[in-house]
Amino acid sequence: MAPEDIKKLRQELGCTARELAGALGIEQETVLAWEHGDLFPTKRFVGMMEELRRKGPEAIPRKKKRQANVSPLQVLADPELWRLLRKLLSHPELRSAALKLAEAYQDPADAPPS
């Protein structure tokens, strides 16, 4: 697989070098070295990339991008928040587990003003 083939694959999949590397279980630097012709993928990785091509863009695991500066009103407008709240109110065991999990997180009300 030539460097231009790897670039074309990323375009087809609509992914970054980091995302392709994640899907292949390798470092981003390796994908970039393939694209620059410094290294060439082994038969195993060529097969994996062909499988990703066959599956399409959905085969690439992607991290959700964080929304920058979401206002409290936007958070309150999220239906998922209210769905979660209804579940927490209806199921004491879930509420207990959530409280236990939340102990590891800082309460924003305790944060010093910025």
Side-chain angles (χ1 to χ4, degrees):
M1 186 172 263
E4 52 274 1
D5 296 328
I6 296 167
K7 290 177 187 175
K8 184 178 176 189
L9 173 66
R10 284 202 308 108
Q11 287 178 334
E12 289 174 22
L13 298 174
C15 67
T16 64
R18 178 172 292 185
E19 289 169 333
L20 178 58
L24 297 171
I26 59 176
E27 297 293 321
Q28 175 184 357
E29 290 76 20
T30 303
V31 171
L32 293 174
W34 292 345
E35 289 186 359
H36 291 115
D38 298 333
L39 295 174
F40 293 92
T42 62
K43 188 175 182 179
R44 174 177 158 237
F45 288 114
V46 170
M48 291 171 73
M49 286 187 276
E50 289 302 330
E51 182 66 15
L52 289 172
R53 174 177 276 134
R54 189 184 66 71
K55 290 180 179 178
E58 297 77 31
I60 301 295
R62 302 179 197 277
K63 289 185 178 179
K64 289 187 177 180
K65 293 183 179 177
R66 291 187 136 183
Q67 294 178 346
N69 300 325
V70 177
S71 77
L73 289 177
Q74 288 173 311
V75 174
L76 288 173
D78 182 359
E80 285 297 309
L81 174 68
W82 294 102
R83 184 170 174 257
L84 176 61
L85 185 59
R86 285 191 304 272
K87 287 182 177 186
L88 288 169
L89 293 172
S90 299
H91 303 283
E93 65 280 1
L94 176 60
R95 188 169 47 253
S96 176
L99 285 169
K100 192 173 206 174
L101 178 64
E103 288 174 3
Y105 293 84
Q106 180 183 1
D107 185 336
D110 297 338
S114 48

